[in-house]
Amino acid sequence: VSQDSENKNFALFGDNTGTIKNLRITAQIDIEKAISDEIKVAVLTLNNSGSIENCKVEGEITASLDSYENNSKVSGITIQNTGNIIDSSSLVNITSNLKKAGICIENEGVITNTTNSGIVKEEVASTNYTVGNVYENKGTMTNCNNTGLIQGYLAVGVVGKSSGTLISCQNTGEISNIYDESNTIEAEAVCAGVIIELDSNATLENSRNSGEIVGNEQIAGICIINNGKITNCTNEAKISKKENSTEKNIDISGICAINKEGSLQNCKNIADIFAINVGKQKIKLGTVCASVYASSIIENCENTGNIQTEGKDVNVSEDNILNVTNCVNSGTGAIAPVSQGNIFVGMIYGKLEEE
């Protein structure tokens, strides 16, 4: 893999406007830590406005710079897609504190049948997402999957943020937060199976998580913050909080951590949720949603998983606010009494937040 004349961009191809098909590439890319300029690193192409079909990238990318706040980007297949990526996969192991994803950083086109199986991780906490498939989606993604291990401060299996359409996406890899004692980041760590943030007018449907989620603060099987529409999604894997890993407040749920102005419809959690040995923080725990707002909607959702948590001051939700309708629970809950901690818990949602 070569670099451009300004030593800022690294890829096999710069811009693809045609068709790249049936190509397999193995790359080894190691970026000098002292680089301070904005860089872009991908194995296949920097920008795709054409078509990438049945391609596979493999290898290693290491790009952990001294400064991670300069909008630099690292990806397995491409940085920006405004065309089509079809039937392609990444087995690239990425270690970076920059914006990073296994398949693509910015999608404004169509991505169909892609899989990341590489390890995507950071070793020092940053405010950049660590993503299995696509960092930010503004287009359409269908049957996009992650099977690789994802480890970071803001970690997710499939998509970091979406204002577009997500259909039949799934995570089967383990997703976990790193614990960095030197971390001074004020924002909460996040850990999710499918997506971190779904914008208003965005949709996520027929998707699932079956990879174990082990997080620090904001933790969910499907989505962390929902302002869009989530339908027919299922969490099938254990959700748990790392023991004694934070002093910040905790939102933990099987489906969605925080349902702000969005809707959750026909979603199901069938796995157990654990938040134990958590200390003195405030915990919000619900099998479908941890924190809900009055303007949000939860309809026709179901839980069959069990919850296990602890707290001194226990507040049990009645799961009966106006916009929570036709939801069913057959799981059980266990709350151990301890000497500290304030918990808001419910078998559907944990806490109704003030607007």
Side-chain angles (χ1 to χ4, degrees):
V1 175
S2 61
Q3 61 194 54
D4 70 5
S5 59
E6 295 182 351
N7 300 322
K8 295 181 182 179
N9 300 326
F10 303 76
L12 182 61
F13 302 111
D15 298 318
N16 174 53
T17 59
T19 299
I20 304 174
K21 190 173 184 178
N22 301 329
L23 187 62
R24 178 180 177 183
I25 308 169
T26 300
Q28 182 78 35
I29 305 173
D30 192 354
I31 306 299
E32 174 63 43
K33 287 188 175 184
I35 291 177
S36 60
D37 295 323
E38 178 182 336
I39 63 170
K40 297 177 182 177
V41 181
V43 173
L44 185 55
T45 180
L46 294 176
N47 302 297
N48 176 57
S49 58
S51 183
I52 297 172
E53 303 175 22
N54 195 32
C55 290
K56 184 176 184 179
V57 295
E58 302 173 318
E60 306 277 342
I61 299 176
T62 302
S64 295
L65 307 187
D66 291 337
S67 174
Y68 62 79
E69 298 177 334
N70 63 355
N71 202 36
S72 292
K73 305 173 180 77
V74 178
S75 178
I77 291 181
T78 188
I79 298 300
Q80 184 177 47
N81 177 58
T82 55
N84 293 278
I85 303 175
I86 306 167
D87 299 330
S88 296
S89 62
S90 174
L91 277 163
V92 178
N93 294 328
I94 299 173
T95 302
S96 177
N97 58 353
L98 310 176
K99 293 182 178 180
K100 54 198 166 294
I103 302 296
C104 176
I105 297 296
E106 301 164 357
N107 176 51
E108 297 183 34
V110 177
I111 301 180
T112 307
N113 298 333
T114 60
T115 298
N116 172 70
S117 299
I119 298 170
V120 184
K121 67 178 182 178
E122 61 185 12
E123 296 175 339
V124 178
S126 78
T127 54
N128 294 315
Y129 296 157
T130 301
V131 187
N133 212 283
V134 172
Y135 193 94
E136 182 172 5
N137 174 56
K138 298 180 181 179
T140 299
M141 296 173 57
T142 304
N143 194 30
C144 296
N145 308 305
N146 174 69
T147 64
L149 172 66
I150 311 297
Q151 293 180 318
Y153 189 75
L154 307 175
V156 64
V158 182
V159 184
K161 183 176 182 180
S162 178
S163 56
T165 301
L166 304 171
I167 303 170
S168 300
C169 297
Q170 66 174 328
N171 173 67
T172 60
E174 179 184 331
I175 316 296
S176 64
N177 285 142
I178 62 171
Y179 181 66
D180 179 5
E181 292 183 351
S182 64
N183 171 31
T184 59
I185 298 171
E186 293 184 3
E188 288 85 358
V190 302
C191 193
V194 177
I195 185 169
I196 292 175
E197 185 170 359
L198 192 68
D199 286 349
S200 60
N201 300 318
T203 59
L204 168 63
E205 60 184 85
N206 299 325
S207 298
R208 70 184 179 94
N209 173 66
S210 56
E212 184 175 353
I213 310 296
V214 184
N216 289 343
E217 286 128 25
Q218 293 182 345
I219 311 159
I222 302 297
C223 176
I224 297 298
I225 300 173
N226 178 40
N227 288 302
K229 184 177 181 179
I230 299 177
T231 57
N232 299 317
C233 291
T234 303
N235 175 60
E236 302 172 350
K238 174 183 172 182
I239 309 292
S240 60
K241 186 210 166 296
K242 288 187 174 183
E243 296 182 7
N244 300 320
S245 59
T246 182
E247 294 184 356
K248 298 175 183 176
N249 294 333
I250 299 160
D251 291 272
I252 181 169
S253 176
I255 303 297
C256 180
I258 303 169
N259 197 31
K260 280 195 168 182
E261 298 178 354
S263 65
L264 303 173
Q265 297 174 322
N266 301 310
C267 294
K268 187 173 182 178
N269 175 66
I270 62 175
D272 295 342
I273 302 172
F274 297 87
I276 57 177
N277 295 327
V278 295
K280 60 184 178 182
Q281 313 94 301
K282 178 190 291 185
I283 306 171
K284 289 166 281 185
L285 188 158
T287 61
V288 174
C289 189
S291 296
V292 299
Y293 289 75
S295 56
S296 66
I297 296 171
I298 303 177
E299 292 180 336
N300 303 318
C301 292
E302 182 181 358
N303 171 65
T304 62
N306 304 317
I307 61 175
Q308 183 177 342
T309 187
E310 62 184 24
K312 178 182 179 182
D313 300 316
V314 178
N315 305 273
V316 179
S317 77
E318 297 180 358
D319 295 338
N320 62 356
I321 64 172
L322 182 63
N323 292 333
V324 176
T325 57
N326 298 322
C327 293
V328 178
N329 169 63
S330 58
T332 61
I335 306 172
V338 292
S339 61
Q340 59 183 349
N342 186 10
I343 183 166
F344 295 81
V345 61
M347 295 308 297
I348 299 298
Y349 72 87
K351 186 177 187 296
L352 174 62
E353 303 284 3
E354 296 181 2
E355 297 287 351

